[in-house]
Amino acid sequence: MPRFPLRPNLKKYRGSQERAAQKNREYNATARKVAAYLNRLVANNPDTTQQYMFEDIAEALGYSVDDVRSAISNGGYNGITFQDIDEADRRDLAGYKLLSTEDGTDA
């Protein structure tokens, strides 16, 4: 079972080719955004069991399904399921919890 907060599946590149280094930086930025997005989804959903499809995440963030799939190492082929989310997990995700404003919109 994944631990919270989810961490992105980052790639390392130590070569001298600038094009490859830039591509690696872009991949890592995408992976960080995907992990943060999933952490926010889980933190703001009170259910103890949650399932998210990579296709839905890709559409919401504007990435390809393959990019989303490779950004998170804990999922299956089509998505990721979290079970038995408890209070300790909620504390670990507290920094991702969205606050609501008086008008009900997210801050």
Side-chain angles (χ1 to χ4, degrees), residues 5-105:
L6 291 174
R7 301 199 191 298
N9 186 25
L10 300 177
K11 294 182 179 179
K12 294 180 174 79
Y13 178 76
R14 298 178 193 253
S16 62
Q17 295 182 0
E18 184 54 37
R19 173 93 171 104
Q22 178 63 29
K23 194 170 183 179
N24 188 71
R25 285 190 296 272
E26 290 169 2
Y27 170 85
N28 286 343
T30 297
R32 286 183 182 100
K33 288 177 186 174
V34 169
Y37 181 76
L38 266 170
N39 284 324
R40 280 194 306 275
L41 288 175
V42 174
N44 290 289
N45 184 336
D47 296 341
T48 58
T49 300
Q50 300 176 34
Q51 183 177 41
Y52 299 99
M53 304 306 291
F54 291 147
E55 182 176 359
D56 296 335
I57 296 166
E59 184 176 326
L61 296 176
Y63 298 129
S64 72
V65 174
D66 287 336
D67 287 344
V68 171
R69 186 180 297 122
S70 68
I72 301 297
S73 59
N74 302 90
Y77 187 77
N78 291 318
I80 187 166
T81 300
F82 304 101
Q83 296 178 326
D84 302 321
I85 300 169
D86 59 19
E87 287 305 312
D89 296 327
R90 301 271 176 214
R91 282 191 300 273
D92 292 341
L93 290 167
Y96 293 94
K97 184 103 171 125
L98 295 177
L99 301 176
S100 293
T101 59
E102 289 181 12
D103 65 358
T105 59

